[in-house]
């Protein structure tokens, strides 16, 4: 199984500041289509996860552009450029390179 | 707008089977190119993919649960179902149903609200 490791487990950021979440995969997620098979989700309290980003850096329709994804080898980053109050949530990465499809353990983002 | 709604018993006894159904509205379970999946989240923990199926019957199960999982689809009622046998307290979780892309597009979107299932005598 591909292991997805997120860091940190939690972080507190001031409103308007940048939040950065890391996700590392235990093996390459780069497929023959030259894309990294990685998605990011946001889960607010009491709600199901919501897709934010796929192909490591493609924003889902309707997702604010303060959310961005980047990739470097087996290291992936989700950045919230200017944290808003409504961004308080858990964030998960998911690899869809191979089954079993696996998720990171989650990163909790709070307001400092 | 596609919506998914899970339903089923909220309390299951140890050693019995957990059965959940996901009803799809605003779209068809028989539409391609989509799988239909189940993911669970134990209280305070992360997400675990359980399995996915295609309306024609192809199934993919997490090897860690494969011996206990059965998934099926009912196109006439626009539903798909999960059966997890011989449950223990470790199976207590919120169970989510979700649509999943096929081919290279295997992310999950959208997700249903989730059903909390507690395993307890």
């Amino acid at each position: 199984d591909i292991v997805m490791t997120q860091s940190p487990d939690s972080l507190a950021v001031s409103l308007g500041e940048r939040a950065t979440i890391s996700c590392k995969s235990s093996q390459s997620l780069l497929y023959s289509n030259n894309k990294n098979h990685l998605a990011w989700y946001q889960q607010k309290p009491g709600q199901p996860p919501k897709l934010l980003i796929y192909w490591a850096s493609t924003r889902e329709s309707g997702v604010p552009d303060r959310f961005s994804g980047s990739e470097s080898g087996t290291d992936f980053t989700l950045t919230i450029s200017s944290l808003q109050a409504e961004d308080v949530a858990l964030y998960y990465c998911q690899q869809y390179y191979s089954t079993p499809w696996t998720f990171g353990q989650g990163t909790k983002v709070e307001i400092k | 707008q596609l919506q998914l709604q899970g339903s089923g018993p909220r309390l299951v006894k140890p050693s019995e089977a957990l059965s959940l159904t996901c009803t799809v509205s605003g779209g068809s379970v028989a539409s391609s190119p989509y799988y239909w999946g189940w993911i669970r989240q134990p209280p305070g923990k992360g997400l675990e993919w359980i399995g996915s199926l295609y309306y024609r019957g192809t199934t993919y199960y997490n090897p860690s649960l494969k011996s206990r999982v059965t998934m099926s689809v009912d196109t006439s009622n626009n539903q798909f179902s999960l059966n997890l046998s011989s449950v223990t307290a470790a199976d207590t979780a919120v169970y989510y149903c979700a649509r999943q892309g096929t081919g290279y597009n295997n992310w999950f979107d959208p997700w249903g609200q989730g059903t909390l299932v507690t395993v307890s005598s």
Side-chain angles (χ1 to χ4, degrees):
Chain A
D1 298 6
I2 297 176
V3 177
M4 307 300 292
T5 305
Q6 290 183 229
S7 61
D9 290 333
S10 65
L11 75 161
V13 175
S14 300
L15 287 172
E17 296 300 305
R18 178 185 301 261
T20 303
I21 301 168
S22 297
C23 173
K24 185 174 182 63
S25 59
S26 61
Q27 68 181 72
S28 174
L29 305 182
L30 188 64
Y31 213 72
S32 54
N33 59 353
N34 206 35
K35 295 182 179 181
N36 276 298
H37 287 219
L38 181 111
W40 287 98
Y41 300 86
Q42 175 192 63
Q43 185 180 31
K44 296 183 179 180
Q47 296 185 20
K50 172 191 170 186
L51 177 69
L52 292 178
I53 285 172
Y54 53 92
W55 298 134
S57 60
T58 301
R59 261 191 313 274
E60 170 72 333
S61 175
V63 172
D65 61 6
R66 64 180 179 273
F67 291 92
S68 64
S70 62
E71 58 212 282
S72 177
T74 57
D75 294 312
F76 302 90
T77 302
L78 175 69
T79 301
I80 309 172
S81 60
S82 175
L83 190 74
Q84 306 300 302
E86 61 265 33
D87 301 334
V88 169
L90 275 163
Y91 292 84
Y92 293 94
C93 58
Q94 177 228 334
Q95 64 81 17
Y96 51 96
Y97 181 89
S98 66
T99 57
W101 294 296
T102 50
F103 296 83
Q105 80 276 17
T107 295
K108 186 176 184 180
V109 174
E110 301 173 302
I111 304 294
K112 184 186 292 183
Chain B
Q1 180 185 357
L2 188 79
Q3 292 188 319
L4 298 90
Q5 179 65 55
S7 60
R10 268 42 171 185
L11 181 64
V12 181
K13 289 182 169 57
S15 80
E16 296 187 347
L18 174 161
S19 291
L20 295 173
T21 295
C22 186
T23 301
V24 177
S25 59
S28 171
V29 293
S31 65
S32 59
Y34 296 110
Y35 296 134
W36 303 93
W38 291 95
I39 304 100
R40 69 180 182 178
Q41 184 173 36
K45 296 189 177 180
L47 299 162
E48 179 182 34
W49 170 69
I50 301 169
S52 301
L53 82 164
Y54 188 58
Y55 79 97
R56 291 188 183 271
T58 304
T59 54
Y60 302 89
Y61 298 144
N62 192 322
S64 67
L65 297 167
K66 187 175 183 177
S67 64
R68 299 194 291 129
V69 172
T70 304
M71 295 177 62
S72 60
V73 63
D74 179 355
T75 55
S76 60
N77 288 306
N78 219 26
Q79 297 175 329
F80 60 102
S81 298
L82 167 71
N83 185 285
L84 181 66
S85 64
S86 305
V87 297
T88 69
D91 295 310
T92 293
V94 175
Y95 286 77
Y96 294 102
C97 54
R99 185 181 68 177
Q100 183 183 21
T102 60
Y104 292 151
N105 306 331
N106 301 131
W107 54 82
F108 296 94
D109 178 61
W111 299 53
Q113 270 301 118
T115 302
L116 174 60
V117 179
T118 301
V119 178
S120 174
S121 56

